[in-house]
Amino acid sequence: MSNRLKCLWIPAFSAIIVIAFALILIIPDSRMAFQGVSDMHPYIMGFIKFGLLATVGELLSTSLRAKKWSAPVYVPARILIWGIIGVWITYMMKIFPNGVSALMGLGLLPGGDIVFLRALFTSMTMNLTFGPTFMAVHKCTDKWLELKAQKKGKVGLKNIITGIDWYGFVTFTLFKTVPLFWIPAHTVTFLLPSSYQVIMAASLSVALGIFLSLKK
């Protein structure tokens, strides 16, 4: 069987995941059920949303970069890592809106009850503090899987850290994608009902994967 046929699972998997989430959110009854389950089990749903949607983003990113259907190494491990990150992000997406709302209520941030400013301040605070940490951790897990696939002996923390292009990470990821993509995108995210914020954040990873592939 050719490599081309072997990789047909990538568009099939991606299409199934995207269409399934789209149908769940479009159909009123399933949307209400989805919202109820997300409210009752936010961390489990955060794991599922990020584990699936962010992995689709990586599959599309890798395929666009290779100009053919292609998957990154250790896809099951990536689903697990994204799922854990999803739990982490779900937790942080509860902390930052409540913290910003409290500061606005105390007059320590301007805007009073203006919803847009609350969303903007929340997005800025999250992306200028938690954002770089999360992206650096994900960069390290990516490099760990990459080195593990190369089978160059034991993969230590030093190998991971020295193998990352930190200059590119800072100059492009932090200085360009954070102000130009993440802050505006998450401002929109925090204008949504809380039940949909995590899935919106996970969906953005699909868009960012495509964007980064085109940049590279």
Side-chain angles (χ1 to χ4, degrees), residues 129-198:
T129 55
F130 165 70
T133 303
F134 143 65
M135 287 185 279
V137 169
H138 184 254
K139 199 83 172 170
C140 289
T141 60
D142 259 1
K143 180 55 67 173
W144 171 59
L145 293 176
E146 179 187 320
L147 293 175
K148 194 172 173 60
Q150 293 173 2
K151 298 179 180 178
K152 293 184 176 180
K154 185 178 179 181
V155 180
L157 185 59
K158 184 176 180 180
N159 304 105
I160 295 170
I161 292 174
T162 56
I164 294 172
D165 176 14
W166 292 110
Y167 176 80
F169 174 75
V170 172
T171 56
F172 179 70
T173 304
L174 298 189
F175 288 177
K176 292 182 180 177
T177 66
V178 168
L180 299 178
F181 180 83
W182 287 115
I183 289 177
H186 281 138
T187 299
V188 175
T189 299
F190 286 114
L191 290 171
L192 298 173
S194 59
S195 300
Y196 297 107
Q197 289 175 2
V198 174

Side-chain angles (χ1 to χ4, degrees), residues 89-160:
I89 289 176
T90 301
Y91 173 73
M92 300 307 290
M93 290 185 78
K94 298 297 182 184
I95 289 178
F96 285 105
N98 289 317
V100 167
S101 295
L103 291 174
M104 292 179 77
L106 293 170
L108 297 175
L109 281 174
D113 295 326
I114 299 174
V115 176
F116 173 76
L117 285 180
R118 181 180 293 112
L120 176 62
F121 291 148
T122 302
S123 179
M124 290 177 65
T125 304
M126 186 176 77
N127 282 293
L128 296 175
T129 55
F130 165 70
T133 303
F134 143 65
M135 287 185 279
V137 169
H138 184 254
K139 199 83 172 170
C140 289
T141 60
D142 259 1
K143 180 55 67 173
W144 171 59
L145 293 176
E146 179 187 320
L147 293 175
K148 194 172 173 60
Q150 293 173 2
K151 298 179 180 178
K152 293 184 176 180
K154 185 178 179 181
V155 180
L157 185 59
K158 184 176 180 180
N159 304 105
I160 295 170

Side-chain angles (χ1 to χ4, degrees), residues 7-129:
C7 290
L8 285 179
W9 70 269
I10 299 170
F13 174 81
S14 301
I16 289 169
I17 296 301
V18 172
I19 292 171
F21 274 103
L23 289 175
I24 288 170
L25 295 176
I26 290 170
I27 300 170
D29 289 344
S30 62
R31 183 171 65 244
M32 290 180 63
F34 178 85
Q35 184 172 351
V37 175
S38 295
D39 290 339
M40 289 176 61
H41 306 286
Y43 296 126
I44 294 174
M45 291 301 288
F47 184 98
I48 294 170
K49 293 168 190 174
F50 263 87
L52 295 177
L53 286 170
T55 301
V56 167
E58 284 207 80
L59 290 172
L60 294 176
S61 171
T62 304
S63 298
L64 282 169
R65 206 153 45 232
K67 297 183 179 179
K68 61 181 180 180
W69 290 116
S70 182
V73 295
Y74 298 116
V75 173
R78 291 174 186 276
I79 294 174
L80 177 62
I81 290 169
W82 272 119
I84 294 170
I85 287 174
V87 173
W88 188 20
I89 289 176
T90 301
Y91 173 73
M92 300 307 290
M93 290 185 78
K94 298 297 182 184
I95 289 178
F96 285 105
N98 289 317
V100 167
S101 295
L103 291 174
M104 292 179 77
L106 293 170
L108 297 175
L109 281 174
D113 295 326
I114 299 174
V115 176
F116 173 76
L117 285 180
R118 181 180 293 112
L120 176 62
F121 291 148
T122 302
S123 179
M124 290 177 65
T125 304
M126 186 176 77
N127 282 293
L128 296 175
T129 55

